[in-house]
Amino acid sequence: MTTSFPMNDGNSAYSYYNNSQRQKELIDASKDMVRDAIIGKLDVEVMLSSSHTFRIIELGCSIGPNTFHAMQHVVDVVKEKYHNIILEFQVFFSDHVENDFNTLFRSLPIDRSYYASGVPGSFHGRLFPSRSIHFAHSSCAIHWLSKIPKELLDEKSPTWNKGLIHYGTSNIDVVNAYIAQFEKDMEIFFNARAEEIVPGGMMVFISPFSSYTRLVEFFGSSLMDLVNEGKLDESLVDSFNLPMYFPSPQDMTKVVEKNGCFSIEKMELAYPKSKLVDEIDAKTFIINLRAVLEGLLINHFGSKIAEEVCARTLFKSEEISTWMKANGGKSCQLFVALKRK
Amino acid sequence: MTTSFPMNDGNSAYSYYNNSQRQKELIDASKDMVRDAIIGKLDVEVMLSSSHTFRIIELGCSIGPNTFHAMQHVVDVVKEKYHNIILEFQVFFSDHVENDFNTLFRSLPIDRSYYASGVPGSFHGRLFPSRSIHFAHSSCAIHWLSKIPKELLDEKSPTWNKGLIHYGTSNIDVVNAYIAQFEKDMEIFFNARAEEIVPGGMMVFISPFSSYTRLVEFFGSSLMDLVNEGKLDESLVDSFNLPMYFPSPQDMTKVVEKNGCFSIEKMELAYPKSKLVDEIDAKTFIINLRAVLEGLLINHFGSKIAEEVCARTLFKSEEISTWMKANGGKSCQLFVALKRK
């Protein structure tokens, strides 16, 4: 273990970001030397040979520790299968640029058996060089849409999602707008991954399924409680919609087949036992959802309303417990394994 | 451009970090499915073929914007040389895990022509898979030692650096302790890079040179002012030493040759014009140094003394200007280009 000496962070008055002019001068002054070294000395042809690095990406890694858990599992299984080949592993943790990579990096397991990288950017677009990835994994992430379907923002249309924040109990126009956005997003997603993943490489998704549409609506009903008490304007709730679509096997089959670059190796709905559901621990469940939804609530309603809504939803834990008890069996997930043709 | 929906950051009560048990359950529940997909479907032999990705690492990237500037330059020059080969570029920005990668990622240039990754970890150790890197770059970073030479912490030895915070005007024992630490660190550094860089791959260093030892001592003299005013215990200053060694061409030649894995393609001292020195802008210079040193000062002396020392050093800008005017010509840098044998 060596000690670390970080520069001043952030971008305030005394940050390195705003105070590194001299270091820039050193780089500028060396530009020609760097250039000469590359032009005169580098021979790219001899270098681009194959390696024994197995590259794994986690799309929508968020912060951890789940992502470390998932990645170590993939590494362990590949090692188990190819124990006779000396492989090295490189894992790319990828998420939006606003993800808290600092916390992710600071909590990386010390005993990991892979080289770790962070890759900022949306998976609705290219993130990696062509044919550089052998295995892609994504858990609880592909249900995030790139944006709210634009039809939901038209107050005069049947897709104005009055009194609701998601599509679960909405009319068919709203549901179709969500499906259309999901299909558009997945087309972009698959086109990007088709470039990045080597032929024979694989991709697995784990996605929550439809029971979540009801659970997030408990937050919606807390918002409507505030409307009914005159503390919040209803149009603000009507114009708030969660950018998530939980695909069915049929939805997923359709987008994979439309793209055409991947074969479906496995697709199934699973009904994993949930410790949270078994113990009807609605409080933990709601706090889990708060960690996911709070940023969206703050963006749309401000911190004060967001805090109030989260607190009020927690008060509903008994009602939520009852619902979970009755519907626990329906709490399920979609598992998909694809292979690059 | 897609919108982003980050989870709650940090690790406070409502963070995703502490509230993602359900997501973990989904991953756990899919472990066997992931395993089956890998065991049953993945064929690693057909995948590990060569690619046209040129991989560049920036060692000690810090926060930017300098590192973006340097990396784009390397990419541009490689493109210029190999305009007939379709290459894709992947840049790995690497620094200690405490580096502010969030700010780095959020300020990535939109018009960059490479895929960006962040790699947390000390360059005094392995960071990348074997033979995976084609070009390594490090600017204003390799002079950072992994730690203070331990001999400097012995109060009864001639290496107790009394009244000073660096080796510039110290006795020969202190200087030798710094050199020995530098040599040890570079041996570890070169052994790691020798594994990571492909045969024919290159490494360039840009390192500040010796005039910095005097400049940082202006902070030392501010500390001693506080000692002389009875506001600070001298032994606290004596036990504070900056973990930096500015190598000479001779120092560098010695460590490269001892390692034996790299050939020296170029090594020279350069005397770049400094806008800051030309305009004798000591204030900007001192604030630049503050962004680098403040964390170390806070760690050793606490925030209050660190603030006082930085403020007092700024008051010395006239004296520093005079020194810079007289010694500007000596402000120089070491440039080194190495090739993996």
Side-chain angles (χ1 to χ4, degrees), chain A residues 2-5 7-10 14 16-17 19-31 33 35 37-39 41-45 47-48 50 53 55 62-64 66 69 73 80-82 88 90 92 96-102 105-106 108 115 117-120 122 126-130 134-135 139-140 144-146 198-202 206 212 243 265 268 272 274-276 287-288 290-292 294 296 331 333 335 339, chain B residues 2-5 7-10 14 16-17 19-31 33 35 37-39 41-44 47-48 50 53 55 62-64 66 69 73 80-82 85 88 92 96-102 105-106 108 115 117-120 122 126-130 134-135 139-140 144-146 198-202 206 212 243 265 268 272 274-276 287-288 290-292 294 296 331 333 335 339:
Chain A
T2 58
T3 323
S4 156
F5 315 102
M7 308 293 103
N8 278 0
D9 68 6
Y14 296 120
Y16 181 87
Y17 186 81
N19 294 289
S20 44
Q21 294 93 333
R22 179 59 186 147
Q23 289 92 335
K24 180 172 188 297
E25 286 185 340
L26 294 196
I27 290 171
D28 283 343
S30 305
K31 283 181 89 168
M33 289 182 274
R35 190 181 179 285
I38 294 171
I39 299 289
K41 304 290 184 182
L42 192 75
D43 186 352
V44 84
E45 272 94 355
M47 288 193 306
L48 292 176
S50 65
T53 301
R55 293 190 192 84
S62 193
I63 296 164
N66 296 343
H69 191 73
H73 177 61
E80 178 195 337
K81 182 173 178 187
Y82 292 105
E88 286 184 296
Q90 189 168 29
F92 295 87
H96 281 287
V97 74
E98 288 84 1
N99 185 49
D100 188 1
F101 284 95
N102 286 349
F105 286 169
R106 285 165 196 175
L108 271 166
Y115 295 100
S117 288
V119 174
S122 164
R126 285 291 298 276
L127 293 165
F128 301 94
S130 301
H134 306 104
F135 196 90
S139 178
C140 300
W144 285 94
L145 301 176
S146 68
V198 301
M202 293 190 68
I206 303 156
Y212 280 82
E265 302 295 325
E268 68 172 40
S274 166
K275 206 175 151 199
L276 304 184
I287 296 174
N288 267 228
R290 177 183 181 148
V292 174
E294 191 171 14
L296 291 163
S331 173
Q333 67 186 49
F335 179 83
K339 188 183 254 192
Chain B
T2 58
T3 323
S4 155
F5 315 102
M7 307 293 104
N8 277 0
D9 67 6
Y14 296 120
Y16 181 87
Y17 186 81
N19 294 289
S20 44
Q21 294 93 332
R22 179 58 186 149
Q23 290 91 334
K24 179 170 189 299
E25 288 186 338
L26 293 196
I27 291 172
D28 283 344
S30 303
K31 282 181 90 167
M33 289 182 272
R35 189 180 180 287
I38 293 171
I39 299 289
K41 304 291 183 179
L42 192 74
D43 185 352
V44 84
M47 288 194 305
L48 292 175
S50 65
T53 300
R55 293 191 190 85
S62 193
I63 297 162
N66 295 344
H69 191 73
H73 178 62
E80 179 194 336
K81 182 173 179 188
Y82 292 104
I85 300 177
E88 286 184 294
F92 295 87
H96 281 289
V97 74
E98 288 85 0
N99 186 49
D100 188 0
F101 284 95
N102 286 349
F105 286 168
R106 285 165 196 175
L108 270 167
Y115 295 99
S117 288
V119 174
S122 164
R126 285 289 298 277
L127 293 165
F128 302 94
S130 301
H134 306 105
F135 196 90
S139 179
C140 300
W144 285 94
L145 301 175
S146 69
V198 300
M202 293 190 68
I206 304 156
Y212 279 82
E265 302 296 325
E268 69 172 37
S274 165
K275 207 176 149 197
L276 305 183
I287 295 173
N288 266 228
R290 177 184 180 147
V292 174
E294 192 170 13
L296 290 164
S331 172
Q333 68 186 48
F335 178 84
K339 188 183 252 190

Side-chain angles (χ1 to χ4, degrees), chain A residues 313-330:
Chain A
T313 309
L314 203 56
F315 283 136
K316 295 180 181 174
S317 50
E318 206 168 316
E319 182 189 349
I320 297 168
S321 280
T322 308
W323 184 89
M324 285 166 76
K325 210 168 185 171
N327 294 275
K330 287 178 196 159

Side-chain angles (χ1 to χ4, degrees), chain B residues 6-186:
Chain B
M7 307 293 104
N8 277 0
D9 67 6
N11 59 2
S12 60
Y14 296 120
S15 64
Y16 181 87
Y17 186 81
N18 288 320
N19 294 289
S20 44
Q21 294 93 332
R22 179 58 186 149
Q23 290 91 334
K24 179 170 189 299
E25 288 186 338
L26 293 196
I27 291 172
D28 283 344
S30 303
K31 282 181 90 167
D32 287 345
M33 289 182 272
V34 172
R35 189 180 180 287
D36 290 348
I38 293 171
I39 299 289
K41 304 291 183 179
L42 192 74
D43 185 352
V44 84
E45 271 94 357
V46 306
M47 288 194 305
L48 292 175
S49 60
S50 65
S51 80
H52 276 78
T53 300
F54 189 95
R55 293 191 190 85
I56 302 163
I57 58 177
E58 168 84 317
L59 298 164
C61 64
S62 193
I63 297 162
N66 295 344
T67 186
F68 306 133
H69 191 73
M71 291 298 95
Q72 190 60 54
H73 178 62
V74 173
V75 169
D76 288 345
V77 178
V78 176
K79 272 187 180 172
E80 179 194 336
K81 182 173 179 188
Y82 292 104
H83 56 86
N84 55 337
I85 300 177
I86 298 162
L87 283 175
E88 286 184 294
F89 295 87
Q90 191 170 27
V91 171
F92 295 87
F93 295 93
S94 183
D95 211 319
H96 281 289
V97 74
E98 288 85 0
N99 186 49
D100 188 0
F101 284 95
N102 286 349
T103 299
L104 180 83
F105 286 168
R106 285 165 196 175
S107 54
L108 270 167
I110 290 166
D111 61 348
R112 67 189 184 275
S113 53
Y114 52 83
Y115 295 99
S117 288
V119 174
S122 164
F123 56 46
H124 296 114
R126 285 289 298 277
L127 293 165
F128 302 94
S130 301
R131 296 176 174 229
S132 67
I133 302 301
H134 306 105
F135 196 90
H137 181 276
S138 187
S139 179
C140 300
I142 56 149
H143 62 280
W144 285 94
L145 301 175
S146 69
K147 59 183 176 190
I148 306 295
K150 70 176 191 308
E151 297 86 342
L152 271 75
L153 303 175
D154 178 1
E155 202 171 340
K156 289 178 187 133
S157 126
T159 48
W160 182 248
N161 201 15
K162 198 167 168 55
L164 296 168
I165 66 169
H166 208 202
Y167 63 82
T169 55
S170 305
N171 66 50
I172 189 68
D173 295 308
V174 171
V175 176
N176 283 341
Y178 268 97
I179 293 176
Q181 185 64 49
F182 173 76
E183 290 178 353
K184 261 184 268 176
D185 285 343
M186 289 307 283

